[in-house]
Amino acid sequence: MRLARAGFLTKVAFALTGLVGLAACDHGTKAAVAPKVAAPATARAAAFRVVYRVDDTAGPQQQVSTDVIQVAEPWNGVLEHHDGPPPGTTLLSSTVQNDRFTFNTAQGSTGFATRRIPGALTTAPSPEALAAAAAAGLVERSGDATVAGEPCTRWTYKAANAVLAKGTPEEHVESCITADGVPLREAITLRGRVVRVAEAVQVDRNPPVTPDTFQTGRDPGADSGQALLETEQQVTEGARSGGAIVRVVAPEGFRVTRQVTVDRQAGENSAPIKLYVQAFESGADLVTTEQVTTPGSPPWSIDEGQPVDLGGKQTGRVVYRTGWAEVRVTLGDKSVRVTSARPAVALAVARSLTV
């Protein structure tokens, strides 16, 4: 969950009614029964906008700025970084995510855009993922607080932009997040000193939205003369089928909404890799499966995280981040990563995987 400079406020770029989503593949078998996953005790906020006062003390002089995030689950997110205290003045940088693209701009530049593959929003923390990580001993629940008139739970961990692990007195992040997943405060400690605090001063759970908010009607590939769209990876929409595709059964109430093939090459001398990614939505909830369809090791660690029993003698490893859980599974020579802001959903989908 990384937004502005560090944690959920870094400058780095960022569904229960419907049909059961199934992988578009034909294994000659009848459709499997969709697993049922209980609803959370508190539903995640489907939309919110938060304005933060940001105090940076890492340098010789304290710097005060304003960050604004806006979210519309499960696809859309905005981060803006403004000069000066709230409400802020000059817009210094922004990152906008929608279901197809990520747009990045900085003051004085035309910016750039990349095609977005399905995945969780980096701007929205997950109380369920944090609670699961705490139960696994990876995160500390540090009590409760009130920020901007909103009750929130304090969580402490090593870093917000990495796989969750316990922090130390010298290096840790303390965040305060509401029960429905709105981030209200983040304090970063490095070398034993608090170097950055972002604290909410305004919270809106029903913010106005126009087509410009998340640039949903914009095609960067068609912007005249801008050449904004970067092409380090090719994203092709459409379902795939055949024996090379692992079969997925999404939980009851979820429907398939995107299926893409991703062709990527990390560097000039690196072997190309092909991924098949499926997205299933239920209201504000999203779960994705990312299958590697080229030979070789997956682009994630197979040893990272904690082992988890998936039943039927199948095991995997679960990794927690501030905004989601990842279940990484190897089925024979096939590798799959299942991601959801709700760990129970990710585990249910991982248990459904068959070849």
Side-chain angles (χ1 to χ4, degrees):
M1 180 173 59
R2 188 176 175 185
L3 295 183
R5 280 179 257 180
F8 69 82
L9 296 170
T10 63
K11 299 177 186 175
V12 179
F14 4 1
L16 251 164
T17 303
L19 303 175
V20 174
L22 301 176
C25 57
D26 182 8
H27 292 264
T29 60
K30 294 181 179 179
V33 176
K36 295 182 179 181
V37 180
T42 302
R44 295 176 69 228
F48 58 85
R49 182 180 185 271
V50 186
V51 179
Y52 304 88
R53 174 189 167 101
V54 182
D55 291 277
D56 280 308
T57 56
Q61 292 185 328
Q62 179 179 352
Q63 301 291 326
V64 180
S65 58
T66 300
D67 281 349
V68 181
I69 64 172
Q70 184 165 340
V71 164
E73 293 281 10
W75 294 107
N76 300 321
V78 174
L79 163 69
E80 295 179 347
H81 181 60
H82 296 258
D83 192 23
T89 55
T90 303
L91 177 62
L92 302 177
S93 63
S94 70
T95 299
V96 180
Q97 288 182 298
N98 58 43
D99 62 340
R100 292 292 191 271
F101 300 102
T102 297
F103 300 89
N104 293 276
T105 61
Q107 187 180 19
S109 73
T110 58
F112 66 94
T114 56
R115 295 191 185 276
R116 183 181 174 205
I117 67 173
L121 283 169
T122 57
T123 49
S126 166
E128 287 185 79
L130 287 163
L138 304 171
V139 165
E140 292 184 4
R141 178 169 177 158
S142 309
D144 299 317
T146 300
V147 177
E150 298 256 356
C152 55
T153 299
R154 295 180 0 229
W155 305 93
T156 302
Y157 37 86
K158 188 171 184 180
N161 58 339
V163 172
L164 288 175
K166 272 196 171 183
T168 66
E170 292 74 28
E171 182 181 352
H172 64 269
V173 174
E174 183 184 272
S175 62
C176 208
I177 299 167
T178 67
D180 60 350
V182 178
L184 298 181
R185 187 179 189 272
E186 180 182 81
I188 300 171
T189 296
L190 295 175
R191 298 180 180 178
R193 185 169 70 90
V194 177
V195 297
R196 188 173 187 276
V197 176
E199 185 165 318
V201 296
Q202 181 181 339
V203 179
D204 185 353
R205 282 183 170 78
N206 189 30
V209 176
T210 71
D212 291 335
T213 304
F214 305 112
Q215 302 191 32
T216 50
R218 184 180 178 189
D219 181 356
D223 283 359
S224 176
Q226 296 297 315
L228 291 179
L229 187 59
E230 305 240 331
T231 56
E232 78 284 354
Q233 65 182 13
Q234 180 180 343
V235 180
T236 306
E237 302 283 340
R240 294 187 60 182
S241 63
I245 303 302
V246 174
R247 188 166 184 262
V248 182
V249 182
E252 189 176 67
F254 282 73
R255 69 192 191 281
V256 62
T257 53
R258 278 191 78 192
Q259 300 177 96
V260 303
T261 297
V262 181
D263 292 278
R264 178 187 299 161
Q265 190 166 5
E268 187 175 329
N269 299 318
S270 301
I273 187 170
K274 189 183 291 287
L275 307 171
Y276 178 54
V277 186
Q278 294 175 281
F280 307 87
E281 292 180 46
S282 177
D285 290 329
L286 176 72
V287 59
T288 63
T289 59
E290 186 177 354
Q291 307 182 29
V292 182
T293 58
T294 47
S297 300
W300 56 79
S301 171
I302 60 175
D303 299 320
E304 194 172 42
Q306 299 185 320
V308 59
D309 183 4
L310 300 175
K313 299 182 179 180
Q314 177 64 49
T315 62
R317 301 188 77 85
V318 60
V319 169
Y320 298 106
R321 298 181 184 270
T322 50
W324 61 87
E326 300 174 12
V327 184
R328 302 169 181 180
V329 187
T330 302
L331 300 102
D333 62 347
K334 304 181 189 306
S335 299
V336 184
R337 177 166 60 179
V338 184
T339 300
S340 177
R342 300 187 56 206
V345 172
L347 286 167
V349 172
R351 293 187 179 105
S352 83
L353 301 175
T354 56
V355 293

